[in-house]
Amino acid sequence: MDFSSGVLILYSLLCSVAAQAPVVSVEPRASTVRQGESASFRCQVKSGAQPITLEWKRANNQALPDNGKIGPDGSVLTVANTRPENQGQYRCVAVNSAGRGTATATLNVKHAPKVRLTPAGPLRVRMGDPVSVDCRATGRPSPTLSWKRQGSTLQLVTKEINDVNTIQWAAVHPDDSGVYICQAGNNEGVTEVKVEIIVEGGPGSPVASVGTSEMTVVEGHTVTMECRATGSPPPVITWSKLRAPLPWKHTVAGGVLTLTSVGRQDSGQYICNATNIHGYSEAYTQMEVESPPYATSLPDQVKLQPGDALRLQCLAHGSHPIRFEWSRAGRATLPPAAETTKDGKLLIARVKLSDSGTYKCVASNHIGSSEALARVTIKA
């Protein structure tokens, strides 16, 4: 090899190095975050002829989302306050005079399920017709799907094919009328979507309906539930309660059930049944009875000596959540050494003579409140 040939080979090698296309990598290759959290990816240039420009794109060449921000030198992509639609691949593209190099990263966004029913309802169908409702859900991790009837905790038998969970009837009956719930759950949350199915009977068959399918009432109030029914001859309407007799303070007149001075034990599902010679139909009302708290102090009188420990417990019956607050009668604040807890305790590790007095606990919920008193006597 002569000298000129060697120079030529060396020159071509130098040119190939100078004209090398970029080689890049992205760290991390994949990132999994909860919805609302942020994720960042760094694009690193391994080799290539300068100058090199960096650009970020979605892997499908779409523009970055509006919550995707690129750092000052172009190497860091941050997706802030992530949304489910941010999930997917992101590509770092490095360009120089010799060509381009790319590297991709995957963003996974964990989120509670989103549920869609087809058809969405309410569905009015004739008795004997076939009916099916498809439930689809998206979420990460992939959610599990189940169906139940409103007012019941039993999981219904359904058909699941390719992430679609279907509730179906070969031929509906009037007592299939009601509200059905598709529930989708993953470890990020649970989502429910309801569909109402109204079965209209054949000629003359009864069809029952209630004024409201759910109600929440306050203990001690009078409640009315109205049931209407169509059919020929006119159906006979009766009321019953699921797995329990009707409250003894009840009357039924013209399809209206009246409950006087309801208590928490009266909560439950009430069933209107309409019957004639062609068959029967049921409609359901779910009633929840809530009550204000009733507070007591344990103990309500206590005698101690200086240095003893004081322990008072405020107890309350009523609808939860219940909040507790201790105070001292005639004083703006509790003694400095007093400690209170969320579950209604009042503690003083070592009492003083000045801690004598009447202590008051107020228990409250979203309906009302009540108070209990404790008399504390401290004598040397």
Side-chain angles (χ1 to χ4, degrees):
M1 180 188 299
D2 60 20
F3 176 76
S4 59
S5 298
V7 169
L8 187 61
I9 293 169
L10 180 60
Y11 177 75
S12 62
L13 286 171
L14 290 171
C15 286
S16 67
V17 170
Q20 184 185 10
V23 176
V24 292
S25 66
V26 174
E27 294 293 336
R29 295 284 300 277
S31 178
T32 299
V33 296
R34 282 195 166 92
Q35 181 175 348
E37 294 178 345
S38 296
S40 292
F41 300 97
R42 179 179 292 278
C43 186
Q44 295 177 317
V45 178
K46 298 295 187 181
S47 61
Q50 296 293 335
I52 296 173
T53 59
L54 297 177
E55 184 182 6
W56 284 93
K57 294 180 179 179
R58 294 295 294 261
N60 52 13
N61 280 330
Q62 289 183 344
L64 292 176
D66 56 8
N67 57 334
K69 307 298 179 187
I70 298 174
D73 64 354
S75 64
V76 177
L77 167 66
T78 299
V79 183
N81 194 22
T82 53
R83 307 186 292 263
E85 59 267 25
N86 296 144
Q87 184 163 300
Q89 288 191 321
Y90 293 80
R91 177 180 292 145
C92 172
V93 181
V95 180
N96 67 5
S97 58
R100 63 177 53 206
T102 64
T104 58
T106 302
L107 174 60
N108 298 312
V109 181
K110 296 197 292 185
H111 61 279
K114 293 183 178 179
V115 183
R116 179 167 57 91
L117 299 184
T118 310
L123 303 180
R124 290 187 175 273
V125 293
R126 302 296 300 176
M127 184 174 71
D129 284 354
V131 176
S132 67
V133 182
D134 292 339
C135 181
R136 293 175 173 84
T138 57
R140 191 169 188 93
S142 184
T144 56
L145 297 173
S146 62
W147 281 94
K148 63 182 180 180
R149 188 169 183 162
Q150 185 166 282
S152 171
T153 57
L154 294 177
Q155 185 171 322
L156 299 175
V157 177
T158 57
K159 182 176 72 175
E160 187 159 5
I161 300 175
N162 295 334
D163 299 327
V164 179
N165 197 303
T166 304
I167 186 172
Q168 56 188 9
W169 295 263
V172 291
H173 191 272
D175 61 357
D176 294 321
S177 291
V179 176
Y180 293 83
I181 302 168
C182 178
Q183 187 178 78
N186 62 15
N187 56 20
E188 297 299 308
V190 176
T191 305
E192 294 184 343
V193 177
K194 300 178 181 180
V195 61
E196 183 178 13
I197 296 177
I198 303 154
V199 181
E200 298 172 335
S205 296
V207 177
S209 63
V210 289
T212 179
S213 59
E214 294 181 1
M215 58 170 60
T216 301
V217 299
V218 177
E219 187 178 47
H221 286 198
T222 295
V223 177
T224 59
M225 302 181 194
E226 184 177 6
C227 180
R228 292 191 177 94
T230 59
S232 179
V236 175
I237 295 176
T238 58
W239 280 92
S240 60
K241 187 182 180 191
L242 183 67
R243 293 192 288 271
L246 288 170
W248 67 274
K249 288 185 180 180
H250 81 270
T251 58
V252 179
V256 177
L257 171 65
T258 302
L259 307 177
T260 305
S261 188
V262 294
R264 296 184 72 187
Q265 71 280 3
D266 299 327
S267 295
Q269 187 181 72
Y270 289 78
I271 305 164
C272 164
N273 187 300
T275 307
N276 68 8
I277 58 174
H278 300 293
Y280 70 95
S281 172
E282 290 181 342
Y284 307 89
T285 294
Q286 182 72 28
M287 182 180 78
E288 297 298 329
V289 180
E290 298 193 323
S291 59
Y294 176 75
T296 56
S297 174
L298 193 68
D300 58 2
Q301 292 188 42
V302 60
K303 294 181 180 180
L304 301 171
Q305 293 181 339
D308 289 348
L310 171 64
R311 295 182 182 86
L312 299 176
Q313 173 71 62
C314 190
L315 302 172
H317 301 287
S319 297
H320 287 267
I322 297 175
R323 299 174 302 280
F324 297 97
E325 184 175 358
W326 280 97
S327 61
R328 190 175 176 190
R331 302 288 183 92
T333 59
L334 290 170
E339 297 179 24
T340 60
T341 63
K342 284 185 177 180
D343 59 353
K345 293 187 180 72
L346 183 145
L347 309 168
I348 300 178
R350 297 174 62 84
V351 296
K352 299 183 292 189
L353 289 172
S354 59
D355 294 335
S356 291
T358 300
Y359 290 77
K360 178 173 74 174
C361 168
V362 176
S364 58
N365 63 10
H366 64 285
I367 300 168
S369 63
S370 73
E371 62 182 48
L373 301 177
R375 176 65 185 162
V376 177
T377 304
I378 300 166
K379 289 185 177 180

